[in-house]
Amino acid sequence: MTAWRAGFARQCIDVLRSPGVHHPAPDDMAFVNTHGNWPTFETACAAALRSGSVGPLQRPTTAAFWRFCLQLIEQTELNDRLVPATVVGAVAVRGRCGTSSWKVELDDGSTIGARQVVWAGNTRRRRVPAGVQLGGAVQHSGDVDLGAVGVGERIAVIGGGQSAGQLALRAAQRGAAVTVVSRGPRRVADLDVDAGWLMEDHLAPFRATMDPAERRRVVERVQCGSMTSDLDLELRRSRVARVVGAGEVTARPDPDRGPVVGFAGVECEVDRVWAATGSVPDLRVAPALAELAASGAPHIDGWPVLDDTLQWLDGFYVVGALAALTLGPAAGNLGGARAAADILANRGPEPCRTGISTY
Ligand SMILES: Cc1cc2nc3c(=O)[nH]c(=O)nc-3n(C[C@H](O)[C@H](O)[C@H](O)COP(=O)(O)OP(=O)(O)OC[C@H]3O[C@@H](n4cnc5c(N)ncnc54)[C@H](O)[C@@H]3O)c2cc1C
């Protein structure tokens, strides 16, 4: 939640894209049923409701979602279980009678012994198009500081997804002259991934595809980036210019001309370029996972090949975006997280195998 909140604050996101039934509580309806009891939530939502941002999907406002999660964290006493450290290694330990367990190594030098490990690290590398050279005022969207934007600045935002739209809108509201340049056509969709990808009609044929490389291609085809209709409308209202179907876009910090963005054979000088081109799950970014992959754990170009129970190695499970070869294109969002939790919970671990002990 710390990472989540920081990301949302950086991009000034007021309302989640996902529906109110997607959240970390076990009861699907918990958020939708509860938020009406909070007068402060109603107040927070009022403005969003008027502009249609919350709409029929009952999208949570960022503030209400945080309060909901905070309450869950308190109820489940998860804070008491949190060890603030980075996992740098994971070593399989074989017991004498064939049992297996894991030694998880932390960056402070300590280790944790566990029968089972669930990797939920959302391990990713940034996606930067081949023609885009970052540096100076040419930035990846993850580094953008909206507070630094001045009135009248010319900003080119590369991308066609929700992040591109969100950053463009906020910069325009700060008085910048913004152009969104998208490689492909304009794509408007209420959800980033079709809801069918959380149901068997899409998932059954996906799982029946035996070749994991083909499953990866399916996921990448589906995750093509789109923005919600209300954001698309806001961009038009805010006079954000759009260039769609631009093909490959280039950008570089030019020492003489400043940031330069190019498409369709034309180069334009601007004050800032933001590459809102997202990131790609890649287990090799985390040393702990890279080591397991190097010793033979299967993966397709950085995506682990898991079994139906999300198990990568004996007692080692992966959830989140990295589990897309099993969970499908929705793996990295809250709906995918719920699906992963269901799989892990229904797997019914033997009580004697679930303990965590400190070495
Ligand atoms: C701008 C933006 C908006 C989004 N909006 C939505 C939305 O509205 N709805 C939706 O469903 N999804 C949304 N998403 C997708 C969102 O990222 C996921 O839904 C959610 O954050 C996934 O949770 P996660 O736990 O898998 O990953 P994260 O929330 O990224 O959490 C991963 C955690 O693992 C920790 N970690 C990583 N490596 C290690 C390590 N080696 N050791 C210890 N800890 C480690 C990180 O510090 C972090 O705390 C959005 C994403 C972005 C970027």
Side-chain angles (χ1 to χ4, degrees):
M1 289 309 297
T2 305
W4 170 287
R5 292 187 79 201
F8 271 54
R10 231 182 357 257
Q11 296 198 19
C12 304
I13 302 174
D14 297 335
V15 181
L16 270 65
R17 183 172 192 180
S18 46
V21 289
H22 291 176
H23 51 70
D27 171 10
D28 285 359
M29 296 306 289
F31 179 84
V32 172
N33 288 340
T34 316
H35 75 245
N37 299 330
W38 296 338
T40 44
F41 171 78
E42 295 291 353
T43 321
C45 273
L49 274 168
R50 268 198 302 276
S51 72
S53 313
V54 173
L57 291 174
Q58 309 227 34
R59 291 195 171 103
T61 62
T62 302
F65 187 75
W66 165 237
R67 275 199 299 276
F68 180 79
C69 291
L70 195 61
Q71 208 173 31
L72 266 180
I73 291 167
E74 279 163 9
Q75 276 165 8
T76 53
E77 298 175 1
L78 273 179
N79 261 345
D80 299 342
R81 292 160 184 249
L82 184 73
V83 178
T86 298
V87 173
V88 292
V91 181
V93 181
R94 299 270 160 228
R96 263 194 232 119
C97 45
T99 55
S100 67
S101 62
W102 288 87
K103 188 169 79 168
V104 175
E105 299 162 346
L106 308 183
D107 59 344
D108 62 6
S110 65
T111 58
I112 293 174
R115 288 284 186 196
Q116 300 180 85
V117 176
V118 179
W119 186 275
N122 198 9
T123 312
R124 290 171 172 274
R125 63 179 158 78
R126 287 177 174 181
R127 184 191 286 122
V128 182
V132 173
Q133 187 192 328
L134 298 180
V138 181
Q139 294 175 295
H140 188 272
S141 54
D143 293 328
V144 166
D145 174 10
L146 279 164
V149 172
V151 175
E153 280 190 8
R154 298 157 305 168
I155 302 178
V157 183
I158 303 173
Q162 192 77 356
S163 285
Q166 187 72 31
L167 285 172
L169 178 64
R170 295 302 181 212
Q173 288 169 343
R174 297 183 75 87
V178 188
T179 304
V180 177
V181 187
S182 314
R183 179 179 54 178
R186 174 172 161 266
R187 290 195 188 90
V188 175
D190 277 337
L191 298 171
D192 62 340
V193 175
D194 187 287
W197 280 105
L198 290 168
M199 297 171 201
E200 281 308 297
D201 56 339
H202 282 40
L203 284 176
F206 175 75
R207 290 205 201 96
T209 306
M210 296 312 291
D211 178 7
E214 177 53 24
R215 287 206 296 273
R216 177 164 182 158
R217 282 192 287 275
V218 171
V219 170
E220 286 176 331
R221 258 199 311 275
V222 173
Q223 294 175 338
C224 55
S226 61
M227 62 178 83
T228 54
S229 50
D230 53 332
L231 181 56
D232 185 64
L233 182 65
E234 285 296 323
L235 290 181
R236 270 183 275 161
R237 281 190 186 141
S238 309
R239 301 189 190 289
V240 169
R242 302 283 295 272
V243 178
V244 292
E248 287 310 318
V249 183
T250 61
R252 65 191 153 82
D254 187 293
D256 303 319
R257 301 161 69 195
V260 174
V261 63
F263 50 91
V266 185
E267 281 205 328
C268 313
E269 289 170 22
V270 290
D271 298 304
R272 297 174 192 272
V273 181
W274 295 338
T277 42
S279 55
V280 189
D282 191 336
L283 63 86
R284 294 163 297 191
V285 172
L289 300 184
E291 219 164 289
L292 295 174
S295 57
H299 69 99
I300 302 290
D301 200 18
W303 291 19
V305 179
L306 312 173
D307 69 13
D308 287 349
T309 68
L310 302 172
Q311 187 167 230
W312 192 30
L313 294 159
D314 193 14
F316 195 103
Y317 299 81
V318 179
V319 298
L322 269 182
L325 294 181
T326 297
L327 294 172
N333 62 28
L334 293 169
R338 296 185 67 78
D342 281 345
I343 291 174
L344 292 181
N346 290 336
R347 210 179 46 81
E350 302 153 42
C352 60
R353 288 172 58 86
T354 55
I356 289 182
S357 60
T358 305
Y359 271 64

